[in-house]
Amino acid sequence: MPPPGRLLDLTRSVARLGQGPATGIDRVEAAYLARLLAGEVPLWGLVRTATGFLLLDRDGCAGVRHLVLGEAEPGRADLLSRLTRRSRPDLARAEATVRRLALARAWRPGLARLLARLPRGAGYLNLGHANLTGRTMAAMRAARLRSAVFLHDTIPLDHPGLCRPGVPKGFARKLAAASTADLIIHSAETTRAQTEAHLRAAGRVPEGIVAPIGILPGDASRARITPPERPYFVALGTIEPRKNHAFLLDLWDRLPAAGRPLLLIVGRRGWADPALFARIGAAADVREMPGLNDDDVALLLSGARALLFPTLAEGFGLPALEAAALGTTVVCPPHEVFRELLGADPVYLTLSDTYAWTDAVMRLTRAAERRPARAVPAWEDHFNTVLTRV
């Protein structure tokens, strides 16, 4: 029996408006928003702003989706947003626009009263870790809502040195809040085991389900760019320490200049040492390509000799699955989650074996190796697993 309604937390989606191409977690929220809008179960949205909370009805949620898809632009910032978001004028406009879409609003202490508008037993979905606080979860319990939280990984706790300062401590608070949920959604058995170990240490392990997120590569036929004519490789993902771009720059320095392929670094700049960005800009046969849409990325992946993915840690590895879905060779470390989701398809190389990485690049440059497109998780399978539970 479906729930009497669902409440989708859209805090992250609103905060990310105007911040460049969607991240993996952004895609998850967008997929849920589209699916729930298409369904018949009553839908509401929740957005935490600088001063309080906004409750959206179905039409308000549809308005947020238009903003996320770029089908509508945020309007002018109101006075409240200009005062509270002085350092983020883009977020000021976004919050003001969503405030105008809201069914109701409340100051932060009034969240439980705001949620009293919803039917008891409705399901709350927090998919992006934003607004995942003890106060929010307590308000859900007070309103008799069933809460489900998607914990994508525990990298901030397992590899704190790969995160911005302060992120591990903040994530620990989010994990403590998630431990009070009714249901935890995991994207893989590997991450479930890691996450539940941390939840156990936090004092409570909620019921959990594994539902890999859907893989939906872009349409290369709609791409707006022209790929290079010479052999090239792609590194896809936000430029940050965890993605290990410095490893690839070292690798390209070792390749012989004659016949050296191109390395296309596709992704936005995240947090990293400015020296790394300077090095990318100065490297021979390396091009940084930010701001591409899904169709452009699909075109580049389809023509690449391989996706090079020397990541130091992953909770899922969306770029690797997207490449595999297009029949592109994936070269990556033998992380357990890759073995779970991709089996024997990738070329697994340890990061300590730089000779093997150099040899693989030169071999693939000389002779491309196309692979059969791999069957990857579908969104409908994900939703069939999750939406029967919340």
Side-chain angles (χ1 to χ4, degrees):
M1 174 181 252
R6 294 191 178 100
L7 176 65
L8 179 60
D9 201 303
L10 294 169
T11 303
R12 180 187 173 95
S13 294
V14 172
R16 285 279 300 144
L17 290 173
Q19 294 298 295
T23 66
I25 296 179
D26 297 340
R27 294 168 191 266
V28 171
E29 279 199 7
Y32 267 83
L33 180 56
R35 174 63 174 78
L36 297 182
L37 280 170
E40 297 181 355
V41 174
L43 175 64
W44 292 270
L46 182 68
V47 176
R48 188 183 72 184
T49 69
T51 56
F53 293 91
L54 306 176
L55 182 66
L56 310 175
D57 60 12
R58 182 179 289 271
D59 288 341
C61 291
V64 171
R65 183 164 188 258
H66 290 314
L67 293 168
V68 169
L69 294 177
E71 297 171 350
E73 292 292 329
R76 296 183 63 182
D78 56 21
L79 178 61
L80 182 60
S81 290
R82 290 199 302 271
L83 290 174
T84 57
R85 297 296 191 187
R86 291 180 180 177
S87 64
R88 286 281 310 275
D90 54 341
L91 185 53
R93 292 191 298 272
E95 288 189 355
T97 301
V98 177
R99 190 176 292 114
R100 291 188 281 267
L101 296 172
L103 170 69
R105 63 182 75 173
W107 301 109
R108 290 199 174 184
L111 178 58
R113 291 193 300 275
L114 186 68
L115 297 177
R117 293 170 170 262
L118 277 58
R120 289 191 175 189
Y124 167 65
L125 287 154
N126 186 304
L127 310 168
H129 299 177
N131 195 27
L132 182 52
T133 68
R135 171 180 286 180
T136 297
M137 299 303 287
M140 298 302 158
R141 293 193 298 276
R144 302 293 192 270
L145 303 189
R146 176 172 168 78
S147 58
V149 174
F150 200 148
L151 289 177
H152 297 268
D153 58 63
T154 53
I155 289 172
L157 301 180
D158 299 324
H159 304 278
L162 299 180
C163 303
R164 289 187 183 93
V167 167
K169 184 179 292 187
F171 185 82
R173 291 194 296 269
K174 292 177 184 292
L175 188 93
S179 71
T180 67
D182 295 293
L183 180 72
I184 300 295
I185 305 164
H186 309 274
S187 59
E189 290 290 351
T190 300
T191 50
R192 177 178 186 167
Q194 295 165 345
T195 300
E196 290 189 344
H198 288 287
L199 289 168
R200 195 169 296 112
R204 180 175 180 269
V205 181
E207 178 187 3
I209 55 173
V210 173
I213 64 175
I215 306 300
L216 193 62
D219 184 348
S221 68
R222 298 197 304 248
R224 61 188 180 181
I225 62 172
T226 301
E229 294 184 0
R230 58 190 280 201
Y232 68 90
F233 293 77
V234 168
L236 176 60
T238 302
I239 303 174
E240 60 185 17
R242 179 167 63 89
K243 298 300 184 180
N244 207 12
H245 290 84
F247 177 89
L248 293 178
L249 296 178
D250 290 342
L251 175 60
W252 246 246
D253 284 344
R254 288 191 297 271
L255 297 177
R260 180 163 49 197
L262 281 175
L263 173 63
L264 306 183
I265 296 180
V266 180
R268 66 183 182 90
R269 291 189 175 191
W271 78 284
D273 187 332
L276 176 64
F277 299 133
R279 190 178 172 197
I280 290 173
D285 300 306
V286 175
R287 294 182 189 171
E288 186 179 354
M289 303 186 71
L292 300 185
N293 63 31
D294 290 350
D295 299 332
D296 296 337
V297 172
L299 178 67
L300 291 180
L301 282 176
S302 297
R305 290 297 203 255
L307 171 75
L308 301 180
F309 200 41
T311 177
L312 296 170
E314 285 296 323
F316 189 71
L318 186 60
L321 274 89
E322 288 183 345
L326 294 168
T328 300
T329 299
V330 176
V331 184
C332 62
H335 296 319
E336 188 176 349
V337 71
F338 292 158
R339 293 195 180 278
E340 176 186 343
L341 297 170
L342 290 169
D345 281 5
V347 176
Y348 290 116
L349 301 175
T350 63
L351 294 173
S352 61
D353 193 348
T354 55
Y355 173 82
W357 281 80
T358 303
D359 182 69
V361 167
M362 295 308 299
R363 174 173 53 80
L364 291 168
T365 299
R366 291 189 296 268
E369 296 178 4
R370 298 300 301 172
R371 306 208 170 191
R374 181 180 176 85
V376 291
W379 273 118
E380 200 54 37
D381 293 334
H382 177 95
F383 293 133
N384 287 340
T385 300
V386 174
L387 297 183
T388 56
R389 311 291 289 275
V390 64

mmCIF file of all heavy atoms in Angstrom, residues 2-22:
data_model
loop_
_atom_site.group_PDB
_atom_site.id
_atom_site.type_symbol
_atom_site.label_atom_id
_atom_site.label_comp_id
_atom_site.label_asym_id
_atom_site.label_seq_id
_atom_site.Cartn_x
_atom_site.Cartn_y
_atom_site.Cartn_z
ATOM 1 N N PRO A 2 0.650 2.212 -0.937
ATOM 2 C CA PRO A 2 1.495 3.410 -0.974
ATOM 3 C C PRO A 2 1.259 4.269 0.263
ATOM 4 O O PRO A 2 0.197 4.217 0.887
ATOM 5 C CB PRO A 2 1.031 4.121 -2.246
ATOM 6 C CG PRO A 2 -0.361 3.635 -2.470
ATOM 7 C CD PRO A 2 -0.382 2.217 -1.972
ATOM 8 N N PRO A 3 2.258 5.084 0.621
ATOM 9 C CA PRO A 3 2.094 5.972 1.776
ATOM 10 C C PRO A 3 1.074 7.065 1.466
ATOM 11 O O PRO A 3 0.751 7.312 0.286
ATOM 12 C CB PRO A 3 3.498 6.543 1.973
ATOM 13 C CG PRO A 3 4.099 6.510 0.609
ATOM 14 C CD PRO A 3 3.557 5.270 -0.041
ATOM 15 N N PRO A 4 0.560 7.748 2.495
ATOM 16 C CA PRO A 4 -0.395 8.829 2.245
ATOM 17 C C PRO A 4 0.233 10.069 1.625
ATOM 18 O O PRO A 4 -0.468 11.026 1.305
ATOM 19 C CB PRO A 4 -0.936 9.134 3.651
ATOM 20 C CG PRO A 4 0.145 8.689 4.580
ATOM 21 C CD PRO A 4 0.765 7.493 3.932
ATOM 22 N N GLY A 5 1.509 10.062 1.447
ATOM 23 C CA GLY A 5 2.217 11.173 0.814
ATOM 24 C C GLY A 5 3.707 11.030 1.017
ATOM 25 O O GLY A 5 4.166 10.198 1.809
ATOM 26 N N ARG A 6 4.468 11.822 0.277
ATOM 27 C CA ARG A 6 5.916 11.822 0.434
ATOM 28 C C ARG A 6 6.411 13.257 0.507
ATOM 29 O O ARG A 6 5.897 14.143 -0.193
ATOM 30 C CB ARG A 6 6.607 11.093 -0.733
ATOM 31 C CG ARG A 6 6.310 9.596 -0.788
ATOM 32 C CD ARG A 6 7.201 8.876 -1.778
ATOM 33 N NE ARG A 6 6.948 7.437 -1.806
ATOM 34 C CZ ARG A 6 6.209 6.829 -2.738
ATOM 35 N NH1 ARG A 6 5.683 7.539 -3.731
ATOM 36 N NH2 ARG A 6 6.018 5.533 -2.682
ATOM 37 N N LEU A 7 7.411 13.462 1.330
ATOM 38 C CA LEU A 7 8.049 14.763 1.509
ATOM 39 C C LEU A 7 9.488 14.630 1.047
ATOM 40 O O LEU A 7 10.281 13.898 1.648
ATOM 41 C CB LEU A 7 7.993 15.188 2.974
ATOM 42 C CG LEU A 7 8.714 16.487 3.343
ATOM 43 C CD1 LEU A 7 8.061 17.686 2.659
ATOM 44 C CD2 LEU A 7 8.737 16.676 4.859
ATOM 45 N N LEU A 8 9.850 15.315 -0.025
ATOM 46 C CA LEU A 8 11.194 15.227 -0.601
ATOM 47 C C LEU A 8 11.998 16.445 -0.178
ATOM 48 O O LEU A 8 11.588 17.591 -0.405
ATOM 49 C CB LEU A 8 11.106 15.165 -2.131
ATOM 50 C CG LEU A 8 12.421 15.104 -2.905
ATOM 51 C CD1 LEU A 8 13.227 13.869 -2.526
ATOM 52 C CD2 LEU A 8 12.141 15.116 -4.410
ATOM 53 N N ASP A 9 13.136 16.219 0.452
ATOM 54 C CA ASP A 9 13.996 17.325 0.865
ATOM 55 C C ASP A 9 14.731 17.856 -0.358
ATOM 56 O O ASP A 9 15.503 17.137 -0.996
ATOM 57 C CB ASP A 9 14.986 16.876 1.940
ATOM 58 C CG ASP A 9 15.518 18.052 2.744
ATOM 59 O OD1 ASP A 9 16.074 18.980 2.122
ATOM 60 O OD2 ASP A 9 15.364 18.052 3.980
ATOM 61 N N LEU A 10 14.493 19.121 -0.691
ATOM 62 C CA LEU A 10 15.079 19.754 -1.869
ATOM 63 C C LEU A 10 16.101 20.826 -1.507
ATOM 64 O O LEU A 10 16.470 21.650 -2.345
ATOM 65 C CB LEU A 10 13.963 20.364 -2.732
ATOM 66 C CG LEU A 10 13.001 19.344 -3.360
ATOM 67 C CD1 LEU A 10 11.795 20.055 -3.971
ATOM 68 C CD2 LEU A 10 13.719 18.507 -4.413
ATOM 69 N N THR A 11 16.567 20.789 -0.265
ATOM 70 C CA THR A 11 17.518 21.810 0.198
ATOM 71 C C THR A 11 18.771 21.839 -0.668
ATOM 72 O O THR A 11 19.241 22.900 -1.085
ATOM 73 C CB THR A 11 17.887 21.557 1.666
ATOM 74 O OG1 THR A 11 16.700 21.555 2.454
ATOM 75 C CG2 THR A 11 18.844 22.622 2.179
ATOM 76 N N ARG A 12 19.337 20.681 -0.942
ATOM 77 C CA ARG A 12 20.562 20.638 -1.742
ATOM 78 C C ARG A 12 20.299 21.124 -3.164
ATOM 79 O O ARG A 12 21.107 21.881 -3.729
ATOM 80 C CB ARG A 12 21.124 19.213 -1.770
ATOM 81 C CG ARG A 12 22.409 19.104 -2.603
ATOM 82 C CD ARG A 12 22.868 17.668 -2.768
ATOM 83 N NE ARG A 12 23.988 17.600 -3.690
ATOM 84 C CZ ARG A 12 25.274 17.592 -3.339
ATOM 85 N NH1 ARG A 12 25.597 17.656 -2.060
ATOM 86 N NH2 ARG A 12 26.226 17.525 -4.248
ATOM 87 N N SER A 13 19.204 20.700 -3.767
ATOM 88 C CA SER A 13 18.897 21.104 -5.138
ATOM 89 C C SER A 13 18.819 22.616 -5.265
ATOM 90 O O SER A 13 19.313 23.205 -6.241
ATOM 91 C CB SER A 13 17.576 20.475 -5.588
ATOM 92 O OG SER A 13 17.685 19.070 -5.681
ATOM 93 N N VAL A 14 18.207 23.269 -4.286
ATOM 94 C CA VAL A 14 18.092 24.724 -4.325
ATOM 95 C C VAL A 14 19.459 25.369 -4.098
ATOM 96 O O VAL A 14 19.849 26.316 -4.797
ATOM 97 C CB VAL A 14 17.070 25.206 -3.276
ATOM 98 C CG1 VAL A 14 17.076 26.729 -3.158
ATOM 99 C CG2 VAL A 14 15.667 24.702 -3.640
ATOM 100 N N ALA A 15 20.223 24.847 -3.150
ATOM 101 C CA ALA A 15 21.543 25.411 -2.851
ATOM 102 C C ALA A 15 22.504 25.261 -4.025
ATOM 103 O O ALA A 15 23.440 26.062 -4.171
ATOM 104 C CB ALA A 15 22.125 24.754 -1.610
ATOM 105 N N ARG A 16 22.295 24.273 -4.867
ATOM 106 C CA ARG A 16 23.213 24.009 -5.977
ATOM 107 C C ARG A 16 22.841 24.768 -7.250
ATOM 108 O O ARG A 16 23.572 24.728 -8.228
ATOM 109 C CB ARG A 16 23.224 22.503 -6.274
ATOM 110 C CG ARG A 16 23.995 21.676 -5.261
ATOM 111 C CD ARG A 16 25.480 21.719 -5.525
ATOM 112 N NE ARG A 16 25.777 21.193 -6.844
ATOM 113 C CZ ARG A 16 26.726 21.642 -7.653
ATOM 114 N NH1 ARG A 16 27.484 22.660 -7.277
ATOM 115 N NH2 ARG A 16 26.925 21.100 -8.831
ATOM 116 N N LEU A 17 21.709 25.482 -7.253
ATOM 117 C CA LEU A 17 21.316 26.223 -8.450
ATOM 118 C C LEU A 17 22.395 27.229 -8.828
ATOM 119 O O LEU A 17 22.890 27.982 -7.995
ATOM 120 C CB LEU A 17 19.986 26.944 -8.209
ATOM 121 C CG LEU A 17 18.743 26.057 -8.102
ATOM 122 C CD1 LEU A 17 17.536 26.884 -7.704
ATOM 123 C CD2 LEU A 17 18.485 25.332 -9.421
ATOM 124 N N GLY A 18 22.793 27.203 -10.091
ATOM 125 C CA GLY A 18 23.801 28.126 -10.576
ATOM 126 C C GLY A 18 25.223 27.744 -10.249
ATOM 127 O O GLY A 18 26.147 28.518 -10.508
ATOM 128 N N GLN A 19 25.439 26.525 -9.724
ATOM 129 C CA GLN A 19 26.782 26.120 -9.302
ATOM 130 C C GLN A 19 27.485 25.222 -10.316
ATOM 131 O O GLN A 19 28.466 24.574 -9.990
ATOM 132 C CB GLN A 19 26.695 25.395 -7.953
ATOM 133 C CG GLN A 19 26.235 26.280 -6.816
ATOM 134 C CD GLN A 19 27.194 27.422 -6.560
ATOM 135 O OE1 GLN A 19 28.328 27.216 -6.164
ATOM 136 N NE2 GLN A 19 26.728 28.643 -6.794
ATOM 137 N N GLY A 20 26.969 25.160 -11.549
ATOM 138 C CA GLY A 20 27.651 24.373 -12.569
ATOM 139 C C GLY A 20 27.011 23.020 -12.782
ATOM 140 O O GLY A 20 25.938 22.722 -12.239
ATOM 141 N N PRO A 21 27.652 22.156 -13.594
ATOM 142 C CA PRO A 21 27.085 20.854 -13.914
ATOM 143 C C PRO A 21 26.771 20.038 -12.672
ATOM 144 O O PRO A 21 27.423 20.155 -11.634
ATOM 145 C CB PRO A 21 28.199 20.190 -14.751
ATOM 146 C CG PRO A 21 28.964 21.335 -15.326
ATOM 147 C CD PRO A 21 28.938 22.407 -14.275
ATOM 148 N N ALA A 22 25.759 19.192 -12.798
ATOM 149 C CA ALA A 22 25.287 18.396 -11.673
ATOM 150 C C ALA A 22 26.333 17.389 -11.214
ATOM 151 O O ALA A 22 27.018 16.759 -12.022
ATOM 152 C CB ALA A 22 24.009 17.653 -12.056
#
